[in-house]
Each structure stands twice: as C-alpha cells, then as structure tokens.
Amino acid sequence: MKLLTVKRTKNSLQLIDENKSLIGERLSGLFAGANERLKINDTIYKIRHSGFLYRSTKFFDSSGKLVVMIDFEKDRLFYYGQPYTEIYILKSNGWLNGSQSLYNFYNDELVMRFDCKRSFFKSRYEIQIKEDFTNSIIILAFLQSNIKDLED
C-alpha cells in the first residue's frame, strides 16, 4: 500500500504522495462548505450535496458531467468512467478513530483506507491506497467525504 498525506494550506488541502508530488487538492471558499471544489492538474470538479440531510455528494467536471457520486445512505461510491461504471463500498472502522475504508464492490478487495491522527491542536490525515490504484478523482472524492464528516 502507498501512503498519501494531506498538507493544509490557507484555502486548500493538498494530497501529496510518497515522492512529494501533488496528486490534487481540495479547494474551499471563505465559509465552511461554500464553493467547495476539487482540483487535479488543471481540471476543476464542482461538488454538490443533495438528498435528505445532504447525504448524497456529487462531483461534476467543468462540462457539467457527473463523474463521481457518493451515496452515504447505502455506503456506496460510483465512478462514472468511459467504458463502464465502477462501484465501491464504504466501510467504517469506528467513529472515534476517524478511519474508513473503500472496497471494490465486485471482488471485495481493499482499495484505500483513510486515517485521521489527532493530536491536541491538530488533525493529520493519511490515505493508504493499493499500489496499482491511480484514479485521482476517486482518491480525492474519498478524501473529501471523510474530511467533510470530520470537520463539519
């Protein structure tokens, strides 16, 4: 498993890999939850929350196409890729420790795991991903959903 860490800047959270290269970042507005976006290279993805108690999160590309949807009521993540739709299952490892895992729906294989390490004043976020997993939008959507639950 590869280890990715989150670096906090003024208006964003940057996801950094083991080689210190930027995978993407979560941009936020002046107010919590307002104008949230994900940025991967030069592509910006808009985030929209909907459903009962905003329990569904959708990520749209710059043309308005739905790319990723997270359904928290059924604990599923959908990636709408070109040849087919990929489905993943979210599994919590306990509310207090701030840990959650993402499994492939078809073979129940662990794809990534989010961990929150808390100290007295700060929280440190880490994601462990499978060695051959490279889909940045799924990684950042998974990060966004976990941080949103912890910080809001």
Side-chain angles (χ1 to χ4, degrees):
M1 302 279 283
K2 292 191 293 188
L3 181 66
L4 309 176
T5 56
V6 176
K7 178 183 175 189
R8 191 176 297 269
T9 63
K10 184 177 181 182
N11 286 333
S12 74
L13 295 173
Q14 297 178 338
L15 188 61
I16 311 289
D17 68 3
E18 294 169 329
N19 300 325
K20 305 289 185 207
S21 61
L22 179 68
I23 293 176
E25 57 187 319
R26 173 189 179 233
L27 306 171
S28 58
L30 296 174
F31 301 105
N35 200 20
E36 292 177 320
R37 301 168 317 279
L38 297 180
K39 182 179 178 186
I40 302 170
N41 298 328
D42 293 331
T43 308
I44 302 275
Y45 296 91
K46 292 182 182 176
I47 302 170
R48 299 282 180 247
H49 303 283
S50 62
F52 181 68
L53 297 176
Y54 297 105
R55 297 301 291 162
S56 179
T57 304
K58 297 176 181 175
F59 300 84
F60 297 93
D61 65 6
S62 57
S63 66
K65 179 184 169 213
L66 179 63
V67 179
V68 174
M69 182 182 81
I70 302 175
D71 178 11
F72 290 105
E73 290 183 31
K74 305 246 193 241
D75 294 327
R76 296 179 297 189
L77 183 145
F78 297 93
Y79 170 67
Y80 299 101
Q82 276 308 313
Y84 54 87
T85 299
E86 297 175 21
I87 303 172
Y88 299 92
I89 303 295
L90 300 163
K91 293 185 181 177
S92 177
N93 301 328
W95 182 79
L96 286 176
N97 64 1
S99 177
Q100 189 168 30
S101 300
L102 187 72
Y103 290 86
N104 191 321
F105 177 77
Y106 300 107
N107 58 12
D108 204 31
E109 179 181 28
L110 177 66
V111 177
M112 67 182 89
R113 177 186 167 104
F114 173 85
D115 289 309
C116 175
K117 310 242 193 268
R118 292 185 176 108
S119 65
F120 193 66
F121 291 109
K122 290 186 177 182
S123 295
R124 194 177 93 216
Y125 306 118
E126 295 178 344
I127 293 183
Q128 296 176 21
I129 63 171
K130 201 170 79 168
E131 290 290 332
D132 60 345
F133 192 77
T134 59
N135 195 329
S136 298
I137 185 65
I138 294 177
I139 297 169
L140 283 170
F142 183 64
L143 172 72
Q144 159 67 20
S145 68
N146 284 291
I147 289 177
K148 180 106 176 123
D149 282 347
L150 289 171
E151 291 186 351
D152 290 349

